[in-house]
Amino acid sequence: MNSRIILRMLNSVMHQRLIRILLLSLAYFAAGWLGLKIPFTGSHITLVWLPAGIAVAALLRWGSAIWPGIFMGAFLVNLSIGSTVTLAVGIAMGSTLGSLLASGWLRRVGFQTSFHQKRDVSMLIVAACLGMALSASIGVTSLYLADIMPLRDTGPAWLTWWMGDVVGVLLAAPLILTLNRINLAQLAHVPREVLIWILVATPLAWFAFIHEYSYLGGALPLAFLTLPLVAGAALRFGITGASLSGLGFSVVAALGLFTGKGTFSLEDEQISLFLLWAYMITTAITGLLVTVLQTEQRQVEHTLKESEEKLRGLFNLSPLGIALTDMKGHFLEFNDSFLRICGYTSEEVKALDYWALTPKKYEADEAKQLESLERTGVYGPYEKEYVRKEGDAIPLQLNGMLVTGKDGQHYIWSIIEDISERKQMVADLRIAAIAFESQVGIMVTDANGVILRINRAFSEDSGYTEEELVGQTPRLLKSGHHDENFYAEMWNSIRHTGVWQGEIWDRRKNGEVYPKWMTITSLKGEDGVVTHYVSTQIDITERKTAEDEIRSLAFYDPLTQLPNRRLLLDRLQQALASSDRDHGQGALLFIDLDNFKLLNDTLGHDKGDVLLQQVAQRLSSAIRERDTVARLGGDEFVIMLLNVNTQFADVADQVEIIGEKILNLLNQPFLLDSHEFQSTASIGITLFGTNDETIDNLLKQADLAMYQAKEAGRNTLRFFDPEMQVVVDAHMSLVKELRRAIRKDQLVLHYQPQVDSDSNCMGAEALVRWKHPKQGIIFPDEFIPAAEELGLITELGKWVLESACKQLAAWSTKPFTNHLCLAVNVSIQQLRQQDFVEQVQSILDRTGADPTKLKLEITESSLLIDTEDVIAKMMMLKSKGIGFALDDFGTGYSSLTYLKSLPLEKLKIDRSFVLDVMTDPNDASIVKTIVALAQSLDLAVIAEGVETEEQREFLARAGCHDYQGYLYSQPIPPDKFELFLTQR
């Protein structure tokens, strides 16, 4: 700080102090000069010395540094009455030291100048007595030393001096100490009351202290009537008013005594003096005490009000419910938290009682708590529930105490705490504890990675006990499977995202390395600093094994363990890419076992599976390690040969040799458990590596070549001939035209008669034909597969069914055809339609066909998928009168269980069995078996493909009496069919 500023501040302080010293000396001199005008003992001692009170008050307000003002005032006032300089100095010194002693002691004991407590009045009296004793002692001693006072008079003089100073302190000091704007404003606010007080006090003071009575002491009772006025001034005007009134009455009383008039003018001068002092002290103390008592009362009231407001604030703001009830349970007071807990409004709660909120199941507990309340004055804490306004129960904890009201009645204060969250927290902690001991391994570390805790699952997975791991770090579990970059990326993820998860390999206590899926999460405190890491770990050994198995199932045939179609296509794609790059050549061999279906039908599928496994072994032994043999499904296998040779002709020769070798291997007998089985195969071959081939084209080419081998008599091989592609292209063109054929109404129905043993026509089967504008009539064998590939079979089937029903309705109007039934083939795709039943019913409704004359033929393959759904649809149609026949029986998966549950009327023997029934004993046995089976199930049976009379006679002997075939008629148009009927 700048020295000039410091000097300026010091000058200001000194200037202010000097002014205060001068003011004090002037006030001291003026009050002393007036006081000495009415001396009591000589010219130096008066009845009341007000300058003593002025001095003490000034020291308390302005500090002890202004003591020179006291000394100067006392010195000058004594000089003014003719005292010598020495005597004036001695008396001034005594006045100064006495005032310093009194003010110093008051500061030490914590005196408050506002006089808010009774102790402040007591301390002022004590300080006045102590300090003025010193002042009186020095002053009387000075008078004695100056030969102004004889020794015998020093005792009474000292007492007078001391009492005058004490009374002066008690009268003047409170007035000066409390003289401030606030107290003066209090007087200014009640001017009328002040005037009234003065008008009352003035005559009373006159008659009590100035008026001359006929006998001494006659006005003594009047003197003490001034005390109520002093008390009234204290109550109405505060401490300043009390001090002024006490000072005024005391001065008037002193004047009366000095003039020999009034109350205290008695014959005995000492008694008069003591009565006056007693009155002055009583007056001063009365005013001070009344004021202090009033202040204390106000402070108590203010404190009580503050406490009440605080309590009311706590009551209203408390998160806990607080309620006051009487002993009958009626709610008298309650806070907002209580209303929130209950869900009621304030008016609703006042209309309720305690028991309306308490479920009956708590009656016994309530009785115990009430007994505790009456016995000890408190109850709880205990837990219970309230029934809220909404009807739900809320868990609570209650505490309460018994209180006595102003009316003497007992009441209960209760604290109600909603413990829903606590209950939920406890439940969550319980769940967390259970979760911690779940089947998932859990490890908790501190921020430095030191293990703090593990659960039982982690211990079981790792083989370590908790005691062995706590205090260690996860590095103990390292397997060495991962490098440092792996762990660096892991911790980088944790630092940036707070979490990491992935597969990691660790080492068990026994040294075994195992995989697990681990998630590491960082936990942070409120300051955002990581405090812990939590790791959850799942042993995925079994999952990894399962994944390997799934991978095997995805890429390998489960029966033969050969690569499946997916893996073959992947390797073929690689082979094509490699041949383009390296100009290598390869071959694709498509192998299909001959008559494999017959093996399944005669010896069973288990023997068929054994054959497929042995075929896979033989094929694998016939190729090199770099080649691939795969099973596509069923009895189809594919061999992919790589880098056979660089010359295409040589490649064909070499592949042919390999193909012949494979045929010879497959011609060797197979031992199927105890059965020896002879098998053959047909092989189609295509070469690749010379042109831009695609996988699909290669497979189609090999497949076509394989069918050429079958057409060549089976047990042989054929290379793909480009002329085959011409046939394929023609087939594809036909497929494209099929859509237009359906739209342009190029399809027609032909009808093949069905006859009984007497050659009577019972009905017919509706067979679709394509009336091609260029190629003429195309049979269904050529376009039905295409329709199935294109997804047109349902649309085609619907057209066939509706056309057949129209024909059936037309026949019903003619006498020679109204008895006929009409069989219509239904594809598996049609049966899978959700609204198939509705479609059939809608067609019947539109055409008017008799449903009892409609017979739907389904194949055995229709029953292999969604069997229950198919049966349900058949049942619904049967309930409408529609009949069902099982077509091509014996060629598929014939299940007796399904046959018993199906709503069938008839079995239809497939033409493949009828064709060779006279030459093939197996076919003959199958036919007889089918007929016997039908009879045992109470089903009709009809044979299709009957072309000779010998076949019909055999069938009749076997028990089959209904026939269909060229022996009677080929499928013919409707007009020719009616002609056929009339000619019979």
Side-chain angles (χ1 to χ4, degrees):
M1 187 179 292
N2 193 301
S3 59
R4 183 176 297 175
I5 296 175
I6 295 175
L7 289 174
R8 189 180 300 142
M9 291 175 61
L10 289 175
N11 291 333
S12 176
V13 171
M14 294 299 295
H15 180 71
Q16 184 182 46
R17 183 179 299 173
L18 180 60
I19 292 174
R20 288 177 176 177
I21 290 173
L22 292 175
L23 286 175
L24 176 57
S25 62
L26 181 60
Y28 195 99
F29 175 81
W33 184 80
L34 290 174
L36 289 176
K37 291 298 180 180
I38 48 173
F40 185 76
T41 302
S43 59
H44 294 83
I45 302 175
T46 66
L47 293 176
V48 55
W49 188 245
L50 294 178
I54 295 173
V56 171
L59 290 172
L60 289 173
R61 293 191 68 169
W62 292 338
S64 57
I66 64 168
W67 65 266
I70 302 171
F71 184 85
M72 289 174 57
F75 177 75
L76 292 175
V77 76
N78 278 280
L79 286 180
S80 68
I81 59 173
S83 300
T84 63
V85 174
T86 303
L87 178 59
V89 169
I91 295 174
M93 186 181 296
S95 298
T96 302
L97 292 176
S99 298
L100 286 171
L101 175 61
S103 62
W105 184 82
L106 286 173
R107 286 198 190 94
R108 182 180 294 272
V109 296
F111 170 76
Q112 298 295 323
T113 60
S114 58
F115 291 97
H116 285 166
Q117 297 180 4
K118 293 188 293 294
R119 63 186 296 269
D120 295 327
V121 177
S122 302
M123 286 188 288
L124 181 64
I125 295 171
V126 173
C129 294
L130 289 176
M132 298 310 105
L134 178 61
S135 176
S137 299
I138 296 176
V140 171
T141 302
S142 298
L143 290 175
Y144 171 75
L145 294 176
D147 293 330
I148 295 175
M149 180 179 293
L151 183 61
R152 63 178 180 274
D153 294 333
T154 55
W158 182 91
L159 180 60
T160 303
W161 192 309
W162 177 70
M163 286 300 299
D165 283 2
V166 169
V167 172
V169 171
L170 295 180
L171 291 176
L175 176 62
I176 296 174
L177 289 174
T178 60
L179 198 62
N180 52 47
R181 293 180 180 178
I182 295 176
N183 292 331
L184 291 175
Q186 185 176 1
L187 292 174
H189 285 161
V190 286
R192 184 177 300 176
E193 293 185 27
V194 172
L195 179 60
I196 293 172
W197 187 90
I198 294 173
L199 293 176
V200 173
T202 300
L204 181 61
W206 172 264
F207 286 107
F209 304 123
I210 303 300
H211 183 67
E212 186 174 356
Y213 291 90
S214 59
Y215 59 93
L216 296 177
L220 188 59
L222 289 176
F224 287 94
L225 287 178
T226 60
L227 294 180
L229 285 177
V230 173
L235 292 174
R236 293 301 300 153
F237 312 137
I239 193 168
T240 302
S243 299
L244 285 173
S245 64
L247 179 60
F249 283 133
S250 297
V251 170
V252 174
L255 286 174
L257 179 61
F258 178 74
T259 59
K261 301 176 182 179
T263 300
F264 302 109
S265 296
L266 303 177
E267 293 181 356
D268 191 329
E269 186 177 302
Q270 292 298 323
I271 294 175
S272 297
L273 184 60
F274 279 109
L275 286 176
L276 176 62
W277 284 335
Y279 171 77
M280 291 180 174
I281 293 174
T282 301
T283 301
I285 293 176
T286 298
L288 289 175
L289 287 177
V290 170
T291 304
V292 169
L293 290 174
Q294 184 184 33
T295 302
E296 287 185 346
Q297 182 179 359
R298 289 175 178 172
Q299 288 178 340
V300 169
E301 291 175 353
H302 180 70
T303 302
L304 288 175
K305 184 178 179 181
E306 283 188 341
S307 299
E308 184 178 354
E309 289 177 352
K310 291 178 181 177
L311 289 174
R312 179 60 59 180
L314 291 174
F315 178 81
N316 291 328
L317 298 177
S318 172
L320 302 177
I322 303 174
L324 176 68
T325 61
D326 59 20
M327 297 305 293
K328 293 182 180 180
H330 296 110
F331 291 102
L332 305 177
E333 287 190 57
F334 38 80
N335 63 355
D336 291 341
S337 295
F338 180 79
L339 294 177
R340 284 195 298 270
I341 290 173
C342 300
Y344 289 97
T345 64
S346 177
E347 291 73 16
E348 290 171 334
V349 169
K350 289 177 181 179
L352 298 174
D353 59 28
Y354 182 79
W355 307 107
L357 301 177
T358 303
K360 288 187 177 181
K361 64 181 179 179
Y362 292 103
E363 287 181 354
D365 292 338
E366 290 292 335
K368 292 180 181 178
Q369 296 300 323
L370 187 59
E371 186 274 331
S372 173
L373 182 68
E374 293 175 348
R375 179 169 45 85
T376 64
V378 296
Y379 76 90
Y382 87 109
E383 294 183 5
K384 61 173 287 187
E385 292 178 338
Y386 269 178
V387 178
R388 291 166 50 85
K389 180 179 180 180
E390 294 79 4
D392 57 316
I394 180 172
L396 307 168
Q397 178 173 286
L398 285 83
N399 295 269
M401 64 181 297
L402 193 66
V403 296
T404 302
K406 295 180 179 179
D407 56 2
Q409 299 297 318
H410 286 162
Y411 298 92
I412 304 172
W413 275 112
S414 297
I415 297 177
I416 303 97
E417 180 182 3
D418 179 359
I419 58 174
S420 302
E421 292 186 3
R422 186 198 307 171
K423 289 272 189 182
Q424 185 62 47
M425 188 180 299
V426 171
D428 291 345
L429 289 174
R430 188 181 301 112
I431 293 171
I434 294 172
F436 188 79
E437 292 302 336
S438 64
Q439 298 302 313
V440 178
I442 301 176
M443 175 175 65
V444 181
T445 74
D446 62 14
N448 297 319
V450 177
I451 299 173
L452 302 177
R453 190 178 177 188
I454 64 170
N455 67 348
R456 183 174 60 255
F458 188 94
S459 179
E460 292 173 354
D461 287 345
S462 65
Y464 289 96
T465 64
E466 186 171 7
E467 291 75 13
E468 291 173 324
L469 286 180
V470 171
Q472 301 289 334
T473 66
R475 286 188 289 273
L476 179 67
L477 306 172
K478 267 191 175 181
S479 64
H481 191 81
H482 308 285
D483 57 19
E484 294 302 321
N485 290 334
F486 173 85
Y487 292 104
E489 292 178 2
M490 171 197 293
W491 285 106
N492 184 57
S493 174
I494 294 172
R495 281 191 295 270
H496 286 84
T497 67
V499 67
W500 177 88
Q501 62 176 355
E503 182 180 309
I504 191 170
W505 291 73
D506 273 353
R507 188 182 303 278
R508 304 188 203 271
K509 184 179 179 180
N510 61 9
E512 177 189 353
V513 175
Y514 69 106
K516 59 187 180 182
W517 186 263
M518 183 163 68
T519 301
I520 301 176
T521 305
S522 61
L523 302 182
K524 298 181 179 180
E526 295 181 357
D527 56 358
V529 178
V530 174
T531 59
H532 298 83
Y533 295 101
V534 177
S535 167
T536 58
Q537 308 173 22
I538 303 174
D539 185 346
I540 58 173
T541 303
E542 294 182 0
R543 193 184 82 182
K544 296 286 284 186
T545 303
E547 287 176 354
D548 293 340
E549 293 177 357
I550 293 171
R551 190 177 299 107
S552 176
L553 291 173
F555 294 103
Y556 291 89
D557 173 51
L559 178 63
T560 63
Q561 300 305 310
L562 293 177
N564 60 11
R565 185 183 191 89
R566 181 181 298 171
L567 184 55
L568 172 68
L569 296 179
D570 181 68
R571 291 185 179 178
L572 184 55
Q573 180 67 47
Q574 296 180 28
L576 291 177
S578 177
S579 65
D580 289 343
R581 183 176 62 253
D582 303 331
H583 306 290
Q585 296 179 3
L588 212 60
L589 286 69
F590 200 110
I591 304 169
D592 185 89
L593 301 182
D594 298 329
N595 300 316
F596 180 71
K597 179 179 179 300
L598 181 62
L599 170 64
N600 276 338
D601 294 340
T602 54
L603 297 182
H605 288 272
D606 56 333
K607 298 299 186 294
D609 290 344
V610 174
L611 175 64
L612 294 174
Q613 290 172 337
Q614 294 185 17
V615 169
Q617 293 172 0
R618 293 187 185 184
L619 294 178
S620 299
S621 65
I623 62 172
R624 301 164 298 179
E625 185 175 351
R626 65 187 177 187
D627 299 327
T628 296
V629 56
R631 181 189 176 206
L632 297 188
D635 59 345
E636 295 178 340
F637 296 85
V638 172
I639 293 177
M640 182 178 67
L641 302 176
L642 300 176
N643 299 325
V644 180
N645 206 307
T646 56
Q647 299 297 323
F648 190 80
D650 294 339
V651 170
D653 293 340
Q654 189 172 349
V655 171
E656 184 176 8
I657 293 171
I658 295 172
E660 293 292 347
K661 176 183 175 182
I662 291 172
L663 287 176
N664 290 332
L665 278 174
L666 298 181
N667 284 336
Q668 301 299 318
F670 291 89
L671 186 61
L672 310 179
D673 294 336
S674 59
H675 297 275
E676 185 176 287
F677 182 76
Q678 192 78 32
S679 179
T680 61
S682 299
I683 303 177
I685 303 172
T686 187
L687 305 177
F688 61 86
T690 58
N691 298 306
D692 293 333
E693 299 98 347
T694 65
I695 293 175
D696 289 341
N697 285 340
L698 288 176
L699 289 174
K700 289 177 181 177
Q701 291 170 7
D703 188 41
L704 284 172
M706 184 271 293
Y707 277 107
Q708 288 293 315
K710 284 194 178 291
E711 291 177 4
R714 305 182 181 181
N715 195 26
T716 187
L717 60 85
R718 287 288 185 272
F719 281 85
F720 171 73
D721 187 346
E723 293 181 1
M724 298 179 192
Q725 194 66 46
V726 175
V727 177
V728 172
D729 292 342
H731 173 72
M732 295 304 296
S733 176
L734 189 68
V735 167
K736 294 178 181 178
E737 293 180 10
L738 181 57
R739 290 185 184 273
R740 293 194 296 270
I742 297 175
R743 291 196 303 269
K744 295 184 177 182
D745 203 21
Q746 295 177 1
L747 301 177
V748 296
L749 288 183
H750 286 188
Y751 300 91
Q752 187 171 33
Q754 295 178 339
V755 301
D756 59 14
S757 58
D758 297 328
S759 297
N760 294 322
C761 184
M762 309 173 296
E765 179 180 4
L767 299 168
V768 67
R769 298 290 186 266
W770 183 358
K771 197 174 181 179
H772 196 279
K774 294 181 180 179
Q775 301 181 30
I777 296 296
I778 300 176
F779 290 94
D781 290 346
E782 297 184 46
F783 65 84
I784 290 296
E788 291 177 342
E789 291 177 11
L790 293 174
L792 297 174
I793 193 64
T794 56
E795 184 179 354
L796 178 60
K798 185 177 180 181
W799 180 90
V800 170
L801 181 60
E802 184 154 6
S803 299
C805 286
K806 288 179 181 178
Q807 186 62 61
L808 190 61
W811 284 346
S812 67
T813 63
K814 300 176 182 179
F816 64 95
T817 57
N818 60 8
H819 69 286
L820 295 176
C821 294
L822 186 56
V824 179
N825 289 290
V826 177
S827 69
I828 184 173
Q829 287 88 347
Q830 287 178 272
L831 286 171
R832 288 179 183 173
Q833 290 180 293
Q834 292 295 324
D835 62 343
F836 176 67
V837 175
E838 290 77 10
Q839 287 183 26
V840 174
Q841 184 62 53
S842 176
I843 290 172
L844 289 172
D845 294 340
R846 286 197 304 272
T847 60
D850 183 358
T852 62
K853 296 294 192 295
L854 179 63
K855 310 299 176 184
L856 300 182
E857 293 188 356
I858 62 174
T859 61
E860 290 182 80
S861 60
S862 303
L863 305 174
L864 298 180
I865 301 175
D866 296 332
T867 305
E868 299 299 329
D869 182 60
V870 171
I871 293 174
K873 292 174 180 174
M874 292 173 66
M875 288 293 189
M876 294 174 66
L877 292 173
K878 183 182 179 182
S879 67
K880 302 178 184 299
I882 299 172
F884 285 91
L886 190 60
D887 195 11
D888 300 336
F889 186 74
T891 61
Y893 180 66
S894 304
S895 170
L896 293 179
T897 302
Y898 288 145
L899 285 178
K900 289 191 294 182
S901 60
L902 290 171
L904 296 174
E905 293 180 355
K906 186 181 295 186
L907 296 182
K908 198 169 190 179
I909 302 173
D910 186 66
R911 69 177 64 251
S912 63
F913 301 128
V914 176
L915 178 66
D916 297 326
V917 72
M918 303 304 298
T919 59
D920 190 337
N922 288 332
D923 287 347
S925 298
I926 291 173
V927 169
K928 291 178 181 179
T929 301
I930 293 173
V931 174
L933 178 62
Q935 291 174 348
S936 66
L937 296 175
D938 196 23
L939 299 176
V941 64
I942 184 172
E944 66 176 354
V946 179
E947 298 180 358
T948 67
E949 184 63 30
E950 290 79 6
Q951 292 172 342
R952 188 200 66 76
E953 291 177 354
F954 175 84
L955 291 168
R957 289 193 302 273
C960 177
H961 304 295
D962 295 335
Y963 318 104
Q964 176 183 338
Y966 279 24
L967 177 62
Y968 303 100
S969 173
Q970 64 182 7
I972 52 180
D975 55 342
K976 291 184 178 181
F977 183 83
E978 293 182 7
L979 181 61
F980 167 80
L981 291 177
T982 58
Q983 291 175 349
R984 297 182 68 84

